[in-house]
Amino acid sequence: MKNKYFEKFDSIIKIKITGINIDNYIRRIIKRKINIIKLIPVSHKEAHLILKYQDYQKLTKYNTIYKLSIIEEYGSIKIKNNIKKNTILLIFILISIFIIITLSKIIFSIDIIHSDKKIRTLISNELNKYGIKKYTFKKSYEQLEEIEDKILENNKDNLEWIEIEEYGTKYIVRIEERKLNTQEEKYQYQSIISTKNAIITEVDAISGEIVKNVNDYVKKGDTVISGYITHPDNSQTPTMAKGTVYGEVWYTIKVDYPYVYQEETLTGRSKTVYVLNFINKRISLFDFDKYKSFKSKDTILLSSNLLNINLVKEKQYEVTVIDEVYTEDEVINKAIDYSKEKLQNENPNIKEIKDVKILSQQSNDSTITLNLFIKAIEDIGSIIPIDPIDKNTDTE
């Protein structure tokens, strides 16, 4: 059975018939098996008929003294005739779409975000080396990642991080300059103290005198590696203490975690797609790398209510979607993992999480609340300057 919706697009016309004794003419039409969709009597000398265009063509072959004229067209014949009348306009629109699509794939500006002119010049030269410059075609997401890796590899001493983001027809380049750690060279004479209350798990002294050992409890501010070297005669000579100190540090954390977890995460990939919407159908033009899930911002370029069609410029941002329902054991493990990850992100000196204990837990239909006691192995050493004057003790 033919879909009634698509019947609207059959070639149908409404015609006017004028002449003497219209009723006889209508009977002759029916006798010749020409299908009349609708008959609208006007007078004994005039009638209006609605019929398919192919039936109208048959009717014109048998017409004699009766005058036929088209009043209105419907469906595909109307669309075809409108296209013929507006051929030049349609060609112009198609050329315009082609130009817009082509221009949208070209980079017109590159903004390098950094305060140091030398770094901006360095990055500009590196980008040129890999074909990223104004008035060139955009690179794919994978190509940009590869270029970022190569630039970092070539500039290990200068760059910590680089990101090239596409915004329409612009690249925005963000950089983090590598800051060499010169903390140990800050003071000529120094000691290393503990930054937290902890139990020492490891002391690695390059220079200086170890005054606290593994398994010793230290308070914040206690000296672990002294910058004063004690001699057999109890005299002390200042030096630059160097080394690392690790200790077991304790944290209590409260965390709420949902049983139903939903998350949409932007992958960083984005693209511009031109979409043709026609008869409730969505047709992506030249979209060869389709995203499974994405968020979008739309701009209508062309629209026709008559043809029920529009052309949309769609900026798509790829997302990964997580939608999970956890059991109680699973949500507890997820909450613990989340707490450990958050703690390590907030404390870059943490080397590892040693142990996690649940002090208490509460739950309702939607979330679980945990109070956690966490043991972490952390770099607790910090440098302080010391008096450079030798300390000599009188032992007489």
Side-chain angles (χ1 to χ4, degrees), residues 214-244:
V214 172
N215 294 326
D216 285 351
Y217 174 77
V218 290
K219 293 182 179 181
K220 181 179 178 180
D222 285 354
T223 300
V224 181
I225 305 175
S226 175
Y228 293 108
I229 304 297
T230 303
H231 303 291
D233 62 355
N234 287 332
S235 64
Q236 292 182 315
T237 303
T239 188
M240 179 189 291
K242 294 182 182 180
T244 54

Side-chain angles (χ1 to χ4, degrees), residues 216-393:
D216 285 351
Y217 174 77
V218 290
K219 293 182 179 181
K220 181 179 178 180
D222 285 354
T223 300
V224 181
I225 305 175
S226 175
Y228 293 108
I229 304 297
T230 303
H231 303 291
D233 62 355
N234 287 332
S235 64
Q236 292 182 315
T237 303
T239 188
M240 179 189 291
K242 294 182 182 180
T244 54
V245 180
Y246 288 96
E248 180 183 293
V249 182
W250 311 281
Y251 296 91
T252 54
I253 293 177
K254 181 179 179 181
V255 59
D256 297 315
Y257 207 87
Y259 281 95
V260 179
Y261 183 75
Q262 295 175 320
E263 180 183 9
E264 287 187 351
T265 306
L266 291 169
T267 65
R269 297 180 65 191
S270 65
K271 63 182 177 180
T272 301
V273 175
Y274 292 87
V275 178
L276 190 66
N277 296 305
F278 179 58
I279 317 176
N280 295 327
K281 291 187 177 180
R282 185 179 183 281
I283 304 170
S284 298
L285 305 177
F286 313 110
D287 186 12
F288 304 112
D289 181 21
K290 295 183 183 295
Y291 294 157
K292 185 176 180 180
S293 301
F294 60 87
K295 293 182 177 180
S296 64
K297 294 180 181 179
D298 299 344
T299 304
I300 296 177
L301 301 177
L302 299 169
S303 180
S304 172
N305 294 328
L306 177 65
L307 302 179
N308 192 22
I309 186 173
N310 63 45
L311 179 66
V312 175
K313 179 183 178 182
E314 191 172 83
K315 183 68 174 180
Q316 295 182 357
Y317 301 89
E318 186 184 38
V319 296
T320 55
V321 179
I322 300 173
D323 192 353
E324 297 177 341
V325 179
Y326 302 127
T327 64
E328 183 171 305
D329 288 342
E330 288 174 333
V331 79
I332 288 173
N333 290 332
K334 290 286 184 181
I336 290 173
D337 289 342
Y338 170 77
S339 300
K340 289 162 64 176
E341 182 179 352
K342 183 180 179 184
L343 183 62
Q344 287 182 298
N345 288 338
E346 292 176 351
N347 298 272
N349 288 331
I350 290 179
K351 182 181 178 182
E352 64 173 301
I353 302 296
K354 185 178 178 181
D355 188 30
V356 179
K357 290 184 179 179
I358 300 173
L359 299 177
S360 65
Q361 71 179 65
Q362 293 178 329
S363 62
N364 53 40
D365 293 338
S366 60
T367 60
I368 190 167
T369 301
L370 301 178
N371 285 303
L372 303 176
F373 178 75
I374 298 178
K375 296 179 182 179
I377 304 301
E378 186 171 333
D379 183 349
I380 59 172
S382 179
I383 294 169
I384 62 166
I386 60 174
D387 189 344
I389 301 174
D390 288 3
K391 287 186 175 182
N392 297 301
T393 303

Side-chain angles (χ1 to χ4, degrees), residues 2 31 157 204 240 244 368:
K2 192 173 182 181
K31 187 176 179 181
D157 295 336
D204 183 11
M240 179 189 291
T244 54
I368 190 167

